[in-house]
Amino acid sequence: MRLRLLLLLALCGAGPTAAARSLSLRGSWRIRSGNGSLELPGRVPGCVHSALFQRGLIQDPYYRFNDLKYRWISLDNWTYSKKFQIPFNISKWQKVNLIFEGVDTVAKILLNSVPIGKTDNMFKRYSFDITTVVRNVNSLELRFQSPVLYAAQRSKAHTSYWVPPDCPPPVQKGQCHVNFIRKEQSSFSWDWGPSFPTQGIWKDVRIEAYNICHLNFFTFSPIYDNHTQGWNLEIESSFDVVSLKPISGQVIVAIPKLQTQQTYSIELQPGERIVELFVKINKNATVETWWPHGHGNQTGYNMTVLFKLDGGLSIEKSAKVYFRTVELIEESIEGSQGLSFYFKINGLPIFLKGSNWIPADSFQDRVTSDLLRLLLQSAVDANMNTLRVWGGGIYEQDEFYRLCDELGIMVWQDFMFACALYPTDQGFLDSVRTEVAHQRDKTRPFITSSPTNGAESIEEGWLSANPYDENFGDVHFYDYSNDCWNWKIFPKARFVSEYGYQSWPSFSTLEKVSSKKDWSYNSEFSLHRQHHAGGNNEMLLQIGFHFKLPKNTDPLQTFKDTIYLTQVMQAQCVKIETEFYRRSRSEIVDGKGHTMGALYWQLNDIWQAPSWASLEYGGKWKMLHYFARHFFAPLLPVGFEDQDAFFIYGVSDLHSDCKATLTVRVHMWSSLEPLCSSETERFVMEAGKAVLLYKEQVPALLGRCGNCTRQSCVVSFYLSTDNQLVSPTNHHFLSSLNETVGLQKAHITANITQQGDTFVFDLETSAVAPFVWLDVGSIPGRFSDNGFLMTEKTRTILFYPWKPTSKSELEQSFHVTSLTDTY
């Protein structure tokens, strides 16, 4: 059974305190192979693959076919070792612990040749008492076992019942029995990622020495009391009391900006002790709540907790507190069977807009704070308010959750189980129990899996009779064979937490890990990089429904054109599907609807390969991500057809009503001047609703616009207030793009100028141009818009660089493509 957790509050782990001495063992270690034939320096945190690459002993693991070439690394049993000196008098401390925040994964640990413990779970924190073993000068060893061989041994030893799947599909080129090891499941391969089962110390490692008592961890949960209409704070602290007699003292909790300071008396008995405090926030202080991006501010308050204990012992912790309430609402809906499934934040129903997060790299030591900020800021820049941390990866580093708090991103947190059954022997369950206790946040709603029928699944004894019931819970939906332009294939579900289509990353991203012989759609490299069975052909099938396949005489140009078309197809498919979910939020049709969440699969990439991601490996935006910036906009007009009638819904995520006007324009493909334009009367766009704004029969619409047919014209529409645009300009294709009449080859030029840190691209086109794609190769940054329909002669687009660049660099790298360039 796949377990899941909804988590929207990052926990603050306790680090070294003033009452203890701490020695970090990060930095330089020695690494040697199983037979001792290879020894090299390595960094901690880190892994064997990274160490070998940094010493020049292997190529970039992502280059070409190196995931197969370097399988030997995962199959060996490596040893990490370090000699170190304690810089303080070790005899003066009552207890000394060796702390590992994360070991990857199966290892025996020896200090001064004495075995002190074992590890077998990547997601657990390990603490070993080394008081009687530690010296002034020490040698530490971690003897790792190959995770691949360990998983195979555990599977072979498990004979009482079958625990599928044994192996991933052959197309994934992965390793077997990953469900028998508590390790990042996707490290044995996935349909979007390579097989690199790593070994190493992937998080912090340190020595902690202390007397009397030590604060092990410190967590807190803001609670809103509906009865008193005030905020409280539950604080939980875990102590290791090594004193032989009870320790008394005081705890002072202070949140200055909320005029809150409270003092508590405590007494700690010897042993492991939990201290729970209940803090009432001053009712005279105004508490500003934390809101998801697009709904308000992300206000946080600095808090200090000071423990003043016997013997002059003083321990102080500081943290940032965010006040918010989270409710999962599952209740009956008028006119529909089943139950709702949506979230209230601070009492307000919120439509969850976002995507699914996977590990940002196969090698976690390469996932820096800067990379996390880049990827998460890109999510916010695309109007997302939620990310689901998918269960086949890792519980992310603290910096990830801190940034989500800062940026206004809600986190749907999976437990680390995915697409498999798992063993239920006592040892495995005990390990998982410790893992879960270490990772959870008890104040958040919990569901049994994703997808799930929510409360109905629990009612049915945790196994659903119909797990794909659209009347309950969340739904995953994938369909690569039917035409994605047909919105009727999509489920009118309560919440859609996975859906999507593949595309290839840009040529500039692929070029870094390939050679010239690889640059064709049917090359051995292209087939190797595709880990989803039939994926390359499925993309061509979807392209073929509405676009012409490229037939350039230059094979390299054909490859680049095909890459471009896969991104066009993906962006358009996910746009149509997401807009369907957004316009379904307020209606019930045939008992279905009230959709309150759309999290497409997936946000980011783990390497350079075809996938469902909207951000390429390293963070470059695909066309889909630019489209997401529009289809997740707070105010959006959504157009679609049904039985030859054209409808436009207005969708609002705003907290208050607004007055707006809808403008509908028809353009001929052959002209840069609009053929006709009409405006509705001013109307009130209701807050938090999706409502019908416009309906017209397509023949009538075309008839009043003169010489227009489905093939010769395209419709665009937008919302405005006092002639100011308040929504993106959306458009609706009246026919497939391979059937258009009058579409000419567009010649598009760009004049680039610099304004401060931003660059201005003044574009000019000779003809109407669909899916205009601006590309500056490997220069990091993003445009204000991209992949757009250009129906006017000129348009100004901004480029925001992520690193310093120049006008001349941009001019040399710049390339523009529109649809007719692929003909």
Side-chain angles (χ1 to χ4, degrees):
M1 180 182 295
R2 288 176 287 167
L3 303 177
R4 302 291 188 234
L5 173 71
L6 287 167
L7 172 69
L8 287 93
L9 177 65
L11 302 182
C12 298
T17 67
R21 292 299 301 268
S22 181
L23 173 66
S24 174
L25 298 181
R26 296 167 73 102
S28 182
W29 286 57
R30 299 294 297 176
I31 302 175
R32 69 174 182 270
S33 60
N35 63 9
S37 61
L38 183 59
E39 187 168 340
L40 66 151
R43 304 291 298 176
V44 168
C47 69
V48 176
H49 288 80
S50 293
L52 291 167
F53 179 50
Q54 288 157 7
R55 298 300 296 178
L57 297 173
I58 62 172
Q59 294 176 303
D60 179 356
Y62 285 172
Y63 182 70
R64 299 197 76 217
F65 306 94
N66 282 349
D67 55 321
L68 300 183
K69 185 178 179 181
Y70 297 146
R71 279 183 184 268
W72 61 271
I73 300 171
S74 300
L75 296 174
D76 205 346
N77 301 317
W78 296 85
T79 295
Y80 271 65
S81 62
K82 185 178 183 70
K83 288 184 168 57
F84 62 95
Q85 186 170 348
I86 303 289
F88 48 86
N89 189 341
I90 204 73
S91 66
K92 292 187 175 180
W93 299 90
Q94 289 175 279
K95 190 165 185 180
V96 184
N97 284 338
L98 174 60
I99 309 291
F100 290 95
E101 294 294 344
V103 177
D104 182 14
T105 295
V106 181
K108 296 177 182 176
I109 303 172
L110 294 88
L111 181 64
N112 301 324
S113 301
V114 177
I116 60 169
K118 298 178 180 180
T119 68
D120 63 1
N121 188 321
M122 181 180 181
F123 309 121
K124 281 168 58 175
R125 175 183 186 268
Y126 288 91
S127 178
F128 301 105
D129 184 349
I130 58 170
T131 310
T132 60
V133 184
V134 69
R135 305 172 191 153
N136 289 330
V137 179
N138 301 273
S139 64
L140 178 60
E141 271 194 353
L142 275 77
R143 297 177 182 172
F144 285 92
Q145 183 177 355
S146 160
V148 177
L149 300 181
Y150 172 85
Q153 289 168 7
R154 298 300 299 170
S155 173
K156 187 176 181 180
H158 195 282
T159 57
S160 52
Y161 52 88
W162 183 41
V163 186
D166 290 329
C167 300
V171 69
Q172 292 182 18
K173 307 157 191 77
Q175 301 284 7
C176 299
H177 310 301
V178 68
N179 45 343
F180 279 87
I181 183 171
R182 290 310 298 141
K183 176 176 172 59
E184 176 186 328
Q185 300 289 274
S186 59
S187 70
F188 277 45
S189 83
W190 216 260
D191 57 5
W192 37 253
S195 176
F196 283 113
T198 44
Q199 296 174 51
I201 303 170
W202 74 292
K203 287 189 175 182
D204 189 38
V205 53
R206 64 187 180 274
I207 302 270
E208 287 185 349
Y210 50 92
N211 293 326
I212 306 174
C213 75
H214 181 59
L215 178 62
N216 291 327
F217 70 80
F218 161 84
T219 66
F220 54 88
S221 304
I223 307 291
Y224 186 75
D225 188 326
N226 287 305
H227 179 67
T228 64
Q229 295 192 326
W231 283 97
N232 305 308
L233 201 59
E234 290 183 355
I235 300 177
E236 185 177 290
S237 305
S238 171
F239 285 91
D240 181 17
V241 181
V242 294
S243 168
L244 296 178
K245 59 182 182 180
I247 306 297
S248 298
Q250 290 185 322
V251 189
I252 303 167
V253 180
I255 308 176
K257 282 200 171 180
L258 295 179
Q259 299 99 54
T260 297
Q261 179 166 317
Q262 292 180 27
T263 302
Y264 306 82
S265 295
I266 61 169
E267 182 173 275
L268 299 172
Q269 299 294 328
E272 296 281 341
R273 294 291 174 240
I274 300 291
V275 174
E276 294 181 337
L277 304 175
F278 189 78
V279 181
K280 290 187 175 182
I281 303 301
N282 189 335
K283 287 205 73 173
N284 295 323
T286 301
V287 177
E288 291 187 29
T289 50
W290 178 97
W291 286 97
H293 173 66
H295 290 275
N297 296 326
Q298 290 77 51
T299 304
Y301 295 91
N302 293 324
M303 173 180 69
T304 59
V305 181
L306 176 61
F307 297 89
K308 299 177 74 173
L309 305 174
D310 289 349
L313 185 61
S314 180
I315 302 172
E316 186 175 79
K317 296 301 298 177
S318 60
K320 182 156 278 190
V321 184
Y322 297 93
F323 292 89
R324 55 207 164 190
T325 62
V326 180
E327 302 169 83
L328 171 58
I329 308 299
E330 297 181 86
E331 59 189 15
S332 58
I333 301 172
E334 187 178 345
S336 176
Q337 295 180 339
L339 300 172
S340 66
F341 190 93
Y342 69 93
F343 294 89
K344 280 185 178 179
I345 309 299
N346 304 326
L348 184 77
I350 301 283
F351 189 104
L352 270 57
K353 303 182 295 188
S355 190
N356 285 259
W357 174 272
I358 66 166
D361 204 292
S362 293
F363 313 107
Q364 278 296 310
D365 51 290
R366 304 207 293 207
V367 183
T368 63
S369 295
D370 287 345
L371 177 59
L372 286 176
R373 180 172 285 278
L374 174 68
L375 296 173
L376 294 175
Q377 184 64 54
S378 291
V380 165
D381 289 343
N383 287 308
M384 296 184 188
N385 60 31
T386 306
L387 290 176
R388 171 174 170 243
V389 177
W390 170 74
I394 61 168
Y395 304 99
E396 278 296 333
Q397 53 185 279
D398 289 347
E399 180 70 1
F400 174 91
Y401 300 104
R402 189 192 70 76
L403 285 168
C404 286
D405 275 337
E406 177 190 316
L407 295 170
I409 300 173
M410 295 182 284
V411 176
W412 171 313
Q413 176 70 59
D414 282 6
F415 282 125
M416 291 301 119
F417 301 87
C419 304
L421 294 183
Y422 289 86
T424 55
D425 57 89
Q426 198 57 49
F428 192 90
L429 292 178
D430 288 345
S431 181
V432 168
R433 184 175 289 107
T434 307
E435 167 194 327
V436 168
H438 178 57
Q439 299 291 348
R440 72 187 184 91
D441 176 359
K442 62 184 181 183
T443 65
R444 297 296 176 246
F446 172 86
I447 56 176
T448 58
S449 69
S450 179
T452 177
N453 286 344
E456 180 68 12
S457 294
I458 299 172
E459 186 72 22
E460 295 179 11
W462 309 95
L463 284 175
S464 301
N466 176 13
Y468 301 101
D469 196 329
E470 295 172 15
N471 293 303
F472 299 94
D474 66 320
V475 165
H476 296 180
F477 180 80
Y478 296 98
D479 183 343
Y480 309 115
S481 57
N482 286 302
D483 181 1
C484 75
W485 286 29
N486 175 17
W487 56 266
K488 294 183 179 180
I489 69 172
F490 305 129
K492 209 170 182 71
R494 308 297 190 212
F495 194 109
V496 190
S497 53
E498 277 191 30
Y499 61 98
Y501 294 83
Q502 279 197 327
S503 72
W504 275 79
S506 61
F507 182 74
S508 62
T509 295
L510 287 172
E511 192 176 17
K512 297 180 182 71
V513 292
S514 58
S515 65
K516 289 185 178 179
K517 68 179 74 170
D518 302 325
W519 297 341
S520 71
Y521 196 73
N522 294 314
S523 69
E524 186 182 354
F525 172 80
S526 293
L527 295 173
H528 175 77
R529 235 37 184 202
Q530 175 58 268
H531 280 200
H532 167 61
N536 288 352
N537 287 332
E538 287 170 355
M539 283 185 268
L540 295 181
L541 174 69
Q542 282 293 336
I543 292 169
F545 284 140
H546 300 286
F547 304 96
K548 297 177 182 177
L549 293 172
K551 293 179 181 175
N552 199 294
T553 54
D554 177 6
L556 177 57
Q557 190 57 51
T558 297
F559 184 49
K560 291 179 178 178
D561 289 345
T562 306
I563 288 171
Y564 163 80
L565 284 170
T566 66
Q567 292 208 14
V568 168
M569 174 276 297
Q570 179 195 36
Q572 186 69 10
C573 284
V574 178
K575 170 187 186 290
I576 292 168
E577 187 167 356
T578 306
E579 290 181 347
F580 169 73
Y581 298 141
R582 289 199 69 189
R583 68 176 167 88
S584 298
R585 71 175 291 169
S586 302
E587 67 181 12
I588 293 292
V589 178
D590 297 329
K592 303 287 175 60
H594 276 212
T595 308
M596 283 297 287
L599 309 178
Y600 67 76
W601 187 271
Q602 68 212 59
L603 180 74
N604 56 311
D605 259 333
I606 199 169
W607 71 334
Q608 307 90 336
S611 80
W612 295 256
S614 61
L615 297 176
E616 299 178 6
Y617 178 76
K620 185 174 182 177
W621 288 28
K622 288 183 178 178
M623 194 179 294
L624 169 57
H625 209 78
Y626 287 101
F627 274 41
R629 185 169 164 82
H630 292 310
F631 62 61
F632 280 147
L635 272 176
L636 181 70
V638 175
F640 66 98
E641 283 187 52
D642 190 17
Q643 297 179 345
D644 222 20
F646 178 54
F647 299 81
I648 298 177
Y649 273 49
V651 181
S652 171
D653 286 326
L654 303 182
H655 292 198
S656 56
D657 297 349
C658 71
K659 293 180 179 178
T661 300
L662 173 70
T663 301
V664 181
R665 286 181 175 168
V666 176
H667 296 262
M668 293 193 78
W669 289 117
S670 59
S671 173
L672 287 166
E673 296 296 326
L675 191 59
C676 66
S677 179
S678 62
E679 276 188 7
T680 64
E681 294 289 325
R682 218 163 166 224
F683 57 87
V684 174
M685 185 68 229
E686 286 187 77
K689 300 283 187 182
V691 295
L692 178 64
L693 302 179
Y694 174 96
K695 177 183 178 182
E696 187 172 9
Q697 294 297 310
V698 174
L701 171 64
L702 296 177
R704 66 180 174 82
C705 283
N707 187 24
C708 215
T709 66
R710 281 184 173 274
Q711 290 72 30
S712 65
C713 290
V714 61
V715 182
S716 63
F717 41 96
Y718 57 86
L719 298 172
S720 60
T721 300
D722 299 325
N723 295 320
Q724 295 293 313
L725 211 65
V726 292
S727 79
T729 297
N730 209 339
H731 53 265
H732 175 70
F733 299 122
L734 295 163
S735 72
S736 298
L737 275 292
N738 54 15
E739 298 174 347
T740 57
V741 173
L743 189 60
Q744 302 162 23
K745 200 154 189 120
H747 178 65
I748 303 172
T749 58
N751 181 51
I752 304 173
T753 55
Q754 187 170 359
Q755 290 183 0
D757 294 332
T758 302
F759 292 86
V760 180
F761 284 65
D762 288 310
L763 305 177
E764 186 171 319
T765 182
S766 63
V768 171
F771 303 105
V772 175
W773 182 246
L774 312 179
D775 191 83
V776 289
S778 292
I779 296 176
R782 73 164 180 89
F783 290 94
S784 57
D785 198 6
N786 215 344
F788 47 83
L789 173 64
M790 195 165 179
T791 56
E792 296 172 324
K793 189 173 183 62
T794 61
R795 182 162 180 175
T796 298
I797 300 292
L798 304 179
F799 179 74
Y800 307 104
W802 294 331
K803 291 180 181 176
T805 187
S806 65
K807 174 185 170 183
S808 61
E809 284 181 322
L810 287 169
E811 287 174 337
Q812 289 171 11
S813 301
F814 178 68
H815 183 76
V816 60
T817 305
S818 68
L819 187 64
T820 52
D821 292 322
T822 66
Y823 291 179

